[in-house]
Amino acid sequence: MAHLASFSFTSSPSNSASSLSPLLQSHQQPHLSSPLQDTLINIDNSATMTNSYKYSVLLPTYNERENLPVIVWLLTKTFQENNINYEIIVIDDNSPDGTLVVAEQLQKIYGEDRILLRPRAGKLGLGTAYVHGIQHATGDFIFIMDADMSHHPKFMPEMIRLQQAKNLDVVTGTRYAGNGGVYGWDLRRKVISRGANFLASVLLRPGVSDLTGSFRLYRKEVLSRLIESCISKGYVFQMEMMVRARQFNFTIGEVPITFVDRVFGDSKMGAMEIVSYAQGLWKLFVAV
Amino acid sequence: MTRATEAATAIGILGTIYLALLFQWLPITLPPTIQEFILPVLPWWVLVTFGAYSLGNIGYHVMTFRDCPEAYDELQVQISQAQNDLRSKGIGL
Ligand SMILES: Nc1nc2c(ncn2[C@@H]2O[C@H](COP(=O)(O)OP(=O)(O)O)[C@@H](O)[C@H]2O)c(=O)[nH]1
Ligand SMILES: [Mg+2]
């Protein structure tokens, strides 16, 4: 657990965090170091949220016709029950299965102020989908999650609470700590996941337990800043976001999440992914 | 400093100290057991220890990787709730 123990952002305040401060000063206090142990305490779940911020959810979709309605239903349910002001931005890359048609139907049900459609003409990849989505986001905070239901909205209120309690810049879901976990992974996938995460934690020492996860809450300006400075693609992109966040002295908290492998549709995790992961990791080791 | 330069610096410094001790470049006399028996095999010992630590770490975390069937069951129920509700609102599923 050596890499977990090092979870604190106490590096000298010399670097680039200061260049962002004019933007953040309005609602940001000096960066505090926060041991992981602190950030993992379970916060009372029952209280409803009284919070005037707006939360934008970026949902990139590619062939998610079956998943999208259910995830949107779960999202709206969670936000309504917790009194959270929200918008859901669907970034569909012209999915051949007609995801966009379903998205339009959902927009009719939930309203154009709640469901925003920002489609693109072709499959341009996840990284640029976030760039595209954030340009249209009107929220103060941004949630990034997959649309395949492997990320469950029930964890969002807790992520928000942790963000508020500690005034954090980033809250990331972790499958690897506390009560986090996975469903539907065989031994091989677990070994790959753990090995990849161990390698990354040794080389990059990022201070978070789940580097490749992509269920996260960001302060909007922080996300823009991070996306701007990131150079990687694919799985490594999520990792770089955390490494850059550490580099810029942003504060990060973790909330344990359960990850249920997608029920509808196919996931991609083959030898090619492993090779490109290793290459991307090496690039980050040398560059950050 | 990038993580790579940090690592290179640390390895460079430790490596130099090690070589200096091994080849007795410094006016320091170490006990003969250290000089003759420990120093020559120290790098291998470090390598093996690190390898064992890595395997142990990964193995431990794979073994303690929590399975969450309850999350799957909950999701299944919610999926059918959502589908029923959405169908009643006119979405073709
Ligand atoms: N807009 C857009 N979304 C994508 C693209 N590739 C994947 N996605 C979406 O990104 C999320 C994660 O993709 P997924 O295939 O589940 O990746 P995995 O979980 O890493 O295997 C899902 O919501 C996908 O629909 C893409 O090229 N464009
Ligand atoms: Mg997925």
Side-chain angles (χ1 to χ4, degrees):
Chain A
M1 297 282 280
H3 61 288
L4 284 185
S6 64
F7 185 83
S8 60
F9 293 78
T10 42
S11 5
S12 62
S14 59
N15 67 27
S16 1
S18 47
S19 64
L20 189 71
S21 42
L23 205 57
L24 292 177
Q25 246 154 19
S26 52
H27 50 246
Q28 197 178 31
Q29 280 158 18
H31 293 89
L32 305 165
S33 66
S34 50
L36 179 65
Q37 246 51 44
D38 276 9
T39 65
L40 286 176
I41 9 169
N42 273 325
I43 299 164
D44 182 15
N45 252 326
S46 57
T48 51
M49 210 117 345
T50 38
N51 164 348
S52 54
Y53 292 117
K54 183 171 181 181
Y55 294 83
S56 304
V57 182
L58 300 189
L59 271 189
T61 58
Y62 193 76
N63 286 345
E64 305 286 4
R65 187 169 51 89
E66 282 166 297
N67 288 314
L68 185 66
V70 183
I71 191 73
V72 167
W73 187 85
L74 285 170
L75 281 167
T76 52
K77 185 170 177 286
T78 305
F79 289 138
Q80 278 165 12
E81 283 173 0
N82 290 278
N83 277 320
I84 299 166
N85 187 12
Y86 71 98
E87 68 185 4
I88 299 168
I89 304 177
V90 180
I91 306 123
D92 185 64
D93 278 1
N94 199 9
S95 304
D97 75 344
T99 304
L100 191 58
V101 180
V102 180
E104 280 160 359
Q105 292 176 337
L106 290 165
Q107 197 181 33
K108 287 208 185 75
I109 295 177
Y110 293 105
E112 287 186 8
D113 54 331
R114 294 299 189 190
I115 315 275
L116 283 66
L117 308 181
R118 297 291 177 264
R120 300 187 297 176
K123 193 172 191 315
L124 298 171
L126 261 183
T128 56
Y130 296 133
V131 179
H132 182 73
I134 197 174
Q135 285 165 0
H136 302 279
T138 63
D140 310 288
F141 290 89
I142 314 271
F143 273 105
I144 280 186
M145 69 192 296
D146 292 355
D148 60 3
M149 287 187 280
S150 43
H151 298 149
H152 198 292
K154 70 182 171 191
F155 297 107
M156 295 167 117
E158 207 172 321
M159 293 165 85
I160 293 175
R161 261 189 289 274
L162 180 63
Q163 188 284 321
Q164 297 206 310
K166 304 200 160 246
N167 194 27
L168 299 169
D169 297 317
V170 184
V171 175
T172 174
T174 176
R175 297 162 287 188
Y176 300 136
N179 216 20
V182 293
Y183 176 82
W185 283 20
D186 56 8
L187 188 65
R188 173 181 167 273
R189 180 111 188 245
K190 284 185 177 175
V191 170
I192 291 174
S193 171
R194 273 317 201 169
N197 212 59
F198 175 75
L199 193 63
S201 69
V202 168
L203 290 182
L204 304 176
R205 283 172 284 131
V208 287
S209 62
D210 194 343
L211 264 181
T212 50
S214 50
F215 189 6
R216 292 178 182 151
L217 171 64
Y218 295 89
R219 221 181 267 285
K220 188 182 181 186
E221 314 82 51
V222 168
L223 181 61
S224 309
R225 174 84 196 280
L226 288 175
I227 286 182
E228 234 168 64
S229 55
C230 280
I231 51 174
S232 323
K233 299 221 157 29
Y235 286 96
V236 188
F237 174 77
Q238 301 296 350
M239 209 155 71
E240 180 171 9
M241 298 275 274
M242 290 297 98
V243 177
R244 298 275 177 202
R246 187 216 66 218
Q247 187 187 29
F248 298 148
N249 278 346
F250 290 136
T251 51
I252 310 179
E254 295 192 296
V255 167
I257 58 157
T258 52
F259 181 100
V260 177
D261 227 2
R262 62 163 68 241
V263 183
F264 304 117
D266 292 320
S267 178
K268 44 185 172 12
M269 181 71 195
M272 268 318 293
E273 272 69 38
I274 297 174
V275 171
S276 65
Y277 174 84
Q279 286 171 339
L281 182 58
W282 183 259
K283 262 196 201 156
L284 281 186
F285 180 56
V286 177
V288 185
Chain B
M1 249 200 329
T2 72
R3 288 306 197 200
T5 44
E6 274 175 29
T9 313
I11 290 172
I13 292 172
L14 291 176
T16 313
I17 293 173
Y18 172 74
L19 289 177
L21 290 175
L22 183 68
F23 296 116
Q24 295 176 295
W25 295 337
L26 304 173
I28 301 174
T29 24
L30 292 169
T33 36
I34 296 183
Q35 193 66 50
E36 285 162 40
F37 298 108
I38 296 183
L39 278 187
V41 295
L42 193 64
W44 307 111
W45 179 83
V46 169
L47 214 63
V48 169
T49 306
F50 179 71
Y53 168 74
S54 305
L55 287 182
N57 184 300
I58 295 171
Y60 173 77
H61 282 123
V62 168
M63 262 164 41
T64 56
F65 211 152
R66 200 174 77 82
D67 280 303
C68 47
E70 76 288 346
Y72 175 77
D73 297 336
E74 182 193 8
L75 185 62
Q76 290 308 310
V77 174
Q78 289 175 331
I79 288 176
S80 51
Q81 277 175 356
Q83 287 177 334
N84 288 335
D85 186 47
L86 288 163
R87 270 193 208 102
S88 74
K89 288 177 170 142
I91 291 214
L93 285 169

